[in-house]
Amino acid sequence: MIFIMKRAADKEAVSGVEKQLEQMGCCSVTIRSSEGFIISVIGGNGLEGMQDPALFPGVEKVLHITVPYKLVSREIKKEKSVLDLQDGVSIGGKEVIVMAGPCAVESKKILFTIAEQVARAGAQVLRGGAFKPRTSPYSFQGLEEEGLKILAEARKRTGLKIVTEVISPQDVELVADYADILQVGARNMQNYALLRKLGKQQKPVLLKRGLSATIEEWLMSAEYILSEGNFNVILCERGIRTFETYTRNTLDISAVPLVKNLSHLPVIVDPSHSSGDSRLVPALSRAAIASGADGLLIEVHSHPEDAYCDGSQSLTPSEFQSLMNNIVKFAAVSGRTFKLENASENASEKDFVKAI
Ligand code: PEP
Ligand code: MN
């Protein structure tokens, strides 16, 4: 059972309800979230006939949630969550958001070049890994804090927001000092210590679906973050392992409308890791928008052939520019808006493209 406190409820009101529940023999956990106080009752024996919020001063609603991912579910929150990424950028609303950049931050010069190119094409967020979770311990592991500093400088130069991966709980504060969005990679989707740590801070978290994770496991991982009080979570479908070997992963496109039905959280798609092949990225991006995704996470490199990692799935800046021009039209027919505020080209498409 979930008790949602009124917006105005203070700590005193919360401890009053906690005491009431204790006297009824119930075990409860209180979450102080960006949405206000929520009291979760484990089990709920002894609460029969007590679902009337009027019985608990300060309580707005008492809900019986039927799914295991309680706070993530649409049952607790019917309306979609729109996350404010600051400075007029938000995700989960009508507008489609594009995050783009290299797999890894390789050097100042390369990152600044790519950042300027993706900003010019209309991206709102710059991606780039400073801590890289590589399959081989001998592969490039990232520039770590030096990479974070380069990302922060690129933000200053372009105005783009920064999304970058954090791979261990000890680095959460450090990465949060530089990033606007903290990425949890597919390999870390079930690193519960990391998820809990990310839940204890308020920066948005981009949670990628694990390589072989079911939708329920993915949503339960998101629940770890919300249960610690951080409701600012973006879910990212990045392809799953199947028997098919002609693509790096298989984009589970049905996950997009399904998860949007099950959860109030924004859902985005990474067509780059889904396919492993830059030639497939434009078609998968269109499929993502058509299926209702709130955004895209795309790998772009000024010289994909020289990229330290994931060059074969990285778009060149001109391929990215054409994709963006195409997405503008596609978003419109899908009933979404798309802002090309940063774009210097496409003057006629500079403003919002209204849904038709
Ligand atoms: C990445 O975004 O570069 C990455 C490592 O992705 P994933 O965790 O989806 O493999
Ligand atoms: Mn990558």
Side-chain angles (χ1 to χ4, degrees):
M1 211 74 85
I2 301 276
F3 288 63
I4 302 180
M5 300 299 293
K6 290 182 176 153
R7 273 275 178 194
D10 56 10
K11 276 193 176 151
E12 220 173 290
V14 171
S15 66
V17 177
E18 285 169 341
K19 274 203 197 100
Q20 261 183 292
L21 290 166
E22 202 184 314
Q23 281 159 7
M24 292 161 69
C26 297
C27 177
S28 70
V29 179
T30 300
I31 300 151
R32 184 188 195 149
S33 78
S34 34
E35 305 277 315
F37 286 103
I38 295 170
I39 303 175
S40 173
V41 178
I42 298 142
N45 288 342
L47 270 174
E48 291 84 20
M50 300 292 288
Q51 270 109 301
D52 182 359
L55 299 171
F56 302 90
V59 170
E60 169 95 37
K61 271 190 262 176
V62 181
L63 298 171
H64 173 58
I65 311 282
T66 57
V67 286
Y69 40 90
K70 311 278 177 205
L71 304 173
V72 162
S73 83
R74 279 265 185 179
E75 291 183 32
I76 198 167
K77 192 165 179 270
K78 299 234 167 344
E79 62 287 359
K80 286 174 62 175
S81 287
V82 182
L83 309 194
D84 183 9
L85 302 177
Q86 310 284 313
D87 307 313
V89 185
S90 60
I91 186 155
K94 203 164 181 191
E95 194 187 328
V96 171
I97 296 296
V98 176
M99 311 182 184
C103 180
V105 180
E106 298 171 6
S107 73
K108 220 181 222 195
K109 191 164 169 246
I110 296 172
L111 190 80
F112 289 175
T113 307
I114 300 170
E116 273 153 26
Q117 286 163 331
V118 299
R120 215 176 302 132
Q124 287 100 337
V125 182
L126 174 67
R127 63 148 291 146
F131 290 91
K132 294 302 301 174
R134 304 304 301 279
T135 303
S136 165
Y138 309 117
S139 302
F140 176 62
Q141 304 286 310
L143 298 179
E144 304 188 347
E145 189 168 4
E146 183 51 31
L148 296 174
K149 286 185 178 153
I150 297 174
L151 283 165
E153 250 188 90
R155 169 176 46 211
K156 246 198 204 152
R157 291 166 77 106
T158 58
L160 292 171
K161 302 283 167 206
I162 302 296
V163 59
T164 193
E165 184 159 353
V166 55
I167 60 178
S168 92
Q170 303 90 277
D171 296 328
V172 168
E173 281 102 354
L174 174 74
V175 179
D177 277 348
Y178 293 94
D180 299 294
I181 306 168
L182 295 111
Q183 178 174 323
V184 176
R187 288 155 195 79
N188 266 316
M189 189 205 82
Q190 286 179 315
N191 181 341
Y192 299 120
L194 177 62
L195 301 177
R196 281 198 190 281
K197 192 81 189 279
L198 287 163
K200 292 188 202 303
Q201 55 87 57
Q202 287 299 316
K203 281 256 168 100
V205 177
L206 190 156
L207 178 65
K208 286 194 154 194
R209 182 176 180 182
L211 278 75
S212 301
T214 63
I215 285 175
E216 188 161 304
E217 286 164 343
W218 186 21
L219 295 177
M220 290 310 288
S221 288
E223 186 79 8
Y224 265 89
I225 305 171
L226 272 71
S227 70
E228 294 292 338
N230 185 0
F231 274 51
N232 300 314
V233 173
I234 303 160
L235 297 165
C236 178
E237 162 62 42
R238 47 77 73 201
I240 49 173
R241 280 238 164 118
T242 66
F243 54 81
E244 183 52 70
T245 54
Y246 273 25
T247 48
R248 183 176 180 182
N249 291 290
T250 298
L251 172 59
D252 181 7
I253 200 73
S254 59
V256 178
L258 179 55
V259 170
K260 284 178 71 79
N261 267 289
L262 298 174
S263 173
H264 53 86
L265 297 173
V267 180
I268 69 165
V269 167
D270 171 348
S272 311
H273 292 85
S274 290
S275 62
D277 184 340
S278 61
R279 295 170 304 174
L280 308 185
V281 168
L284 298 188
S285 301
R286 290 193 295 274
I289 305 298
S291 66
D294 296 301
L296 297 166
L297 179 70
I298 300 175
E299 287 187 340
V300 178
H301 199 287
S302 44
H303 295 95
E305 63 287 3
D306 299 328
Y308 287 6
C309 41
D310 290 350
S312 61
Q313 65 194 36
S314 301
L315 297 180
T316 63
S318 75
E319 286 166 344
F320 180 64
Q321 176 73 71
S322 335
L323 168 74
M324 292 294 273
N325 294 345
N326 197 243
I327 291 293
V328 167
K329 298 176 201 121
F330 218 79
V333 288
S334 305
R336 307 295 289 254
T337 57
F338 193 87
K339 211 188 217 169
L340 276 180
E341 207 173 54
N342 289 316
S344 60
E345 292 162 38
N346 308 308
S348 60
E349 291 171 333
K350 251 189 161 172
D351 295 315
F352 281 98
V353 176
K354 293 270 180 277
I356 50 174

